[in-house]
Amino acid sequence: MGGESTTRTAPRHGGASRGPAGGRTGQRLSGLAMALGLVLFLGGFAWGAVVYRPYTVPTSSMAPTIDAGDRVLAQRVDGGEVRRGDVVVFTDKNWVTGAPVVKRVVAVGGDTVACCTEGKLTVNGKQIDEPYLADGSLAELQDFPAVKVPQGRLFLLGDERSGSLDSTAHLTDAARGTVARSAVTARVDAVVWPMDGMLKRPTGFAELGGLSSPGPLRTIVALVVVGAVLVLGGGAYGPVAKRLGGRSRSRTEPAGAR
């Protein structure tokens, strides 16, 4: 015989490995990352749905804190948890029938609220610093007589004092403009559209008693973001490892005819 002839058949998959890209450890870690990410992502959304309710504020009575048309997230709370300075959502048929109202609590049961002393609201004789009001605006467009808030009730004002139909517009009612704590359904934590973020703490009321603690919104957002990153990172591991592995093989392939 004149020589030995050999024939090579090219692999059907162009030489690529049939196995999963990346090592076994990498595959396991990517799967674990995706599983943990899904738990965090879905758990964060579920937690948020239980704790928070979205509202669209239809008027500018809370400007500049909340403008007309803004979308807010309000934490579901019991009326007994409300503190001075909170922006709350409540329903009261004497104010608006069949629709929630958003206002700021400036006095609680037992307080005496009046306006104005040197242009500032007073609660129990103390002047309240209200940096959330528009620059140059007074605490109230017109003075109103001192009101002793009954136990179990709240006195509420809009941050846009010149046009807000708040407790001062109901002083002639039987309850003298106050609202029952039980009427409160939620406390506003943040403006989410546009993305203005968390409401600033009403530190001007701190001398009168404890302020409400912020809700878990920041923690919920962190869980959702971390979960999304883990899911995307775990899902990208396989394609990235395959691409890097292909480049490595192409660099080490021997030159020459076969």
Side-chain angles (χ1 to χ4, degrees), residues 41-94:
F41 186 81
L42 297 177
F45 270 110
W47 187 10
V50 171
V51 174
Y52 285 96
R53 294 183 64 183
Y55 292 93
T56 299
V57 179
T59 71
S60 60
S61 67
M62 282 299 296
T65 305
I66 305 171
D67 290 320
D70 283 1
R71 191 77 165 171
V72 302
L73 282 181
Q75 182 184 2
R76 303 169 193 258
V77 297
D78 182 84
E81 301 175 53
V82 173
R83 302 289 182 267
R84 301 176 190 88
D86 289 348
V87 177
V88 298
V89 182
F90 66 94
T91 54
D92 189 318
K93 64 181 181 180
N94 294 320

Side-chain angles (χ1 to χ4, degrees), residues 64 129 168:
D129 184 26
T168 60

